[in-house]
Amino acid sequence: MLKRFNEYDNFIFDFDGTLADTADEVLSCIEKAFNKCNVSFDKERLNPSVMGPSLAEIAKIVKPDLTDENIVNNIVSEYRKIYDYDEKDITKLYDGIRDCLLYLKQNNKKIFIATNKPKIPTLRLVKSLNIDFFDDVYMVDKYDDKKLTKQQMIEEIVSKYNLPKEKTIMVGDCLSDIEAAKKAGVLSLVALWGYGADKKALKDKADFCLEKITND
């Protein structure tokens, strides 16, 4: 993605499925949370295809007959206890990501994260994956008094750093990333290595598509 996008100055990255492959870690922690709450489920339903929605929605996908919101909330709570501070986290960066980020920084580009992940695991992973050199990191709970949508994150980054929208690209792997970029008035690039299931829809709606990180 490197030289091909030299004319653009600002890059806002989603995290899960874009910068890092978090699926194995997240799914493992979800399974532990279900077990901790003594809730049985079909393990075949717990696979990378469920990645993307909120944890509460994932819990209901994994166990469609789960209608008790108290149980759902308990599963989410247990997941947070397990995932937020997991010292044996098996998350890994996708091939070429760190070199890509370093290239952008070395060429005076501004780089940001806009993720629906909460603050604690996001900042933990940014540090442990050795990519703690972003200009700013926006998470769903960046502020204590309100939750941010992906669109709001992009809009605030653009406003705070006075970024020209025509020179700014949102990089993500899901349709929601692309739609948020369009609503915020910036360009969109879909990372086709990520979790988004409908690749055709992603390709049709994004301004740019990338199969993998390359030097051209």
Side-chain angles (χ1 to χ4, degrees):
M1 91 176 258
L2 308 180
K3 297 177 182 177
R4 176 182 168 190
F5 295 99
N6 269 347
E7 65 183 280
Y8 302 99
D9 297 328
N10 317 296
F11 297 83
I12 305 171
F13 291 89
D14 172 53
F15 192 87
D16 297 70
T18 301
L19 294 177
D21 184 355
T22 57
D24 288 346
E25 171 70 12
V26 168
L27 297 177
S28 173
C29 291
I30 291 174
E31 180 175 359
K32 292 175 183 176
F34 266 89
N35 292 338
K36 187 77 173 177
C37 295
N38 295 313
V39 178
S40 61
F41 65 98
D42 181 357
K43 289 188 177 181
E44 291 187 2
R45 299 186 68 89
L46 189 60
N47 61 68
S49 69
V50 305
M51 296 289 289
S54 69
L55 282 170
E57 291 170 336
I58 291 176
K60 294 174 183 177
I61 293 171
V62 172
K63 189 173 178 60
D65 61 348
L66 184 56
T67 57
D68 188 324
E69 292 299 325
N70 288 327
I71 295 177
V72 172
N73 291 336
N74 287 340
I75 291 171
V76 171
S77 177
E78 289 300 330
Y79 171 89
R80 290 289 175 218
K81 294 176 186 176
I82 298 165
Y83 181 67
D84 284 0
Y85 303 98
D86 189 358
E87 295 180 355
K88 297 181 179 180
D89 195 314
I90 55 177
T91 294
K92 56 185 179 295
L93 294 176
Y94 286 106
D95 290 344
I97 285 294
R98 191 169 191 278
D99 287 343
C100 168
L101 296 174
L102 287 173
Y103 175 90
L104 294 174
K105 289 294 289 183
Q106 290 164 1
N107 284 271
N108 300 313
K109 310 298 185 182
K110 290 188 180 300
I111 58 173
F112 307 87
I113 289 176
T115 176
N116 289 326
K117 290 177 82 65
K119 183 187 303 182
I120 292 173
T122 299
L123 297 182
R124 171 177 64 78
L125 285 167
V126 165
K127 184 175 181 179
S128 66
L129 294 170
N130 197 22
I131 54 170
D132 51 344
F133 44 77
F134 286 87
D135 290 276
D136 207 341
V137 178
Y138 271 71
M139 302 132 300
V140 65
D141 58 349
K142 184 177 179 70
Y143 305 116
D144 294 333
D145 59 340
K146 66 176 180 178
K147 300 292 186 182
L148 294 173
T149 66
K150 187 66 67 76
Q151 180 184 342
Q152 289 171 329
M153 295 179 208
I154 298 170
E155 289 172 342
E156 187 162 325
I157 290 170
V158 168
S159 175
K160 180 178 179 180
Y161 293 92
N162 196 29
L163 308 181
K165 291 183 178 180
E166 70 276 9
K167 292 289 187 178
T168 302
I169 299 178
M170 172 69 206
V171 186
D173 66 302
C174 295
L175 198 55
S176 58
D177 295 319
I178 307 309
E179 292 172 343
K182 291 191 178 300
K183 290 176 181 177
V186 302
L187 297 165
S188 59
L189 187 159
V190 59
L192 293 172
W193 57 81
Y195 302 136
D198 190 347
K199 302 301 183 184
K200 184 179 185 307
L202 288 169
K203 290 179 179 179
D204 288 344
K205 294 200 173 186
D207 294 299
F208 307 105
C209 298
L210 206 62
E211 296 281 352
K212 61 180 180 178
I213 298 291
T214 61
N215 291 325
D216 53 12

